[in-house]
Amino acid sequence: LPLSAAANLRPGAEQKVVFITARVHPGETPSSFVCQGIIDFLVSHHPIAKVLRDHLVFKIAPMLNPDGVYLGNYRCSLMGFDLNRHWANPSPWAHPTLHGVKELIIDMYNNPKINLEFYIDIHAHSTMMNGFMYGNIFEDEERFQRQAVFPKLLCQNAEDFSYSSTSFNRDAVKAGTGRRFLGGLLNDTSYCYTLEVSFYSYILSGTASAVPYTEEAYMKLGRNVARTFLDYYRLNSLVEGPLAPTPKTR
């Protein structure tokens, strides 16, 4: 869609953009199911989805590494690059998907009519349990505290999401990731996260038993990510009728 295309918004609404990417690492297949859950929910007839469409613009790139996925690679692209280390200076020739997405994000950021408020990159984790997030560290304490709001709200909405496993860092090894690079590029009204989800299971609060993840459970996490924006933007009062359970999709 062109940058001005926000036809879903109610008339006169601010263009608040949530940008979501997934599957930059081809082997992290759960990220695609989480992303599918977000997409299916946002285009559904659920009353929460309608309110979100009226107030927010969601831009979603569901697969940043399609050639790596097609080849069955675990981490790299067709040319052998870990794309999630090349955000700082992506080549249109060697990292075309990254280059295109980064240009779109920067164009939005520089457009005075658009507020780019969230960037979330979805991954899967091979050793940790649950869903959790990585965020950035800032010298400004207020900005740091504001960044913690969304994962705290998500923790209340999703039984498999762990705020205690969520961490904020600026590890040099992660400097070329989308979350780190865009966190340094965008201003203090933008929040950049990596959303991680376990390859295998989650532990319910107050128990010691591991619950194996299924495709449906991954998609449910995606639906819960989407509906957390309702709480974040305090749009709950705009939902028409009693709140039905979030529908199962697919």
Side-chain angles (χ1 to χ4, degrees), residues 3 8 18 20 52 56-57 68 82 103 123 142 147 158 184 238:
L3 292 185
N8 58 289
V18 175
I20 297 171
L52 292 175
L56 299 169
V57 178
D82 180 344
E103 282 206 330
H123 288 250
E142 186 202 350
Q147 183 189 213
L238 302 176

Side-chain angles (χ1 to χ4, degrees), residues 47-137:
I48 290 177
K50 183 181 184 309
V51 170
L52 292 175
R53 292 194 300 267
D54 286 345
H55 290 82
L56 299 169
V57 178
F58 289 86
K59 298 287 185 181
I60 302 176
M63 190 174 286
L64 285 179
N65 194 344
D67 51 345
V69 170
Y70 177 78
L71 290 169
N73 292 353
Y74 180 72
R75 197 167 178 88
C76 295
S77 66
L78 168 68
M79 299 179 68
F81 291 107
D82 180 344
L83 296 181
N84 205 36
R85 297 296 183 271
H86 288 275
W87 278 90
N89 190 27
S91 157
W93 177 73
H95 326 107
T97 52
L98 227 59
H99 182 267
V101 167
K102 181 183 171 183
E103 282 206 330
L104 178 58
I105 289 173
I106 291 174
D107 284 349
M108 287 182 167
Y109 177 62
N110 290 331
N111 187 330
K113 295 180 179 178
I114 293 175
N115 293 327
L116 180 57
E117 305 219 330
F118 280 88
Y119 171 73
I120 300 175
D121 189 27
I122 308 174
H123 288 250
H125 205 286
S126 59
T127 59
M128 297 279 283
M129 307 273 265
N130 298 76
F132 58 96
M133 280 178 150
Y134 292 127
N136 295 310
I137 289 178

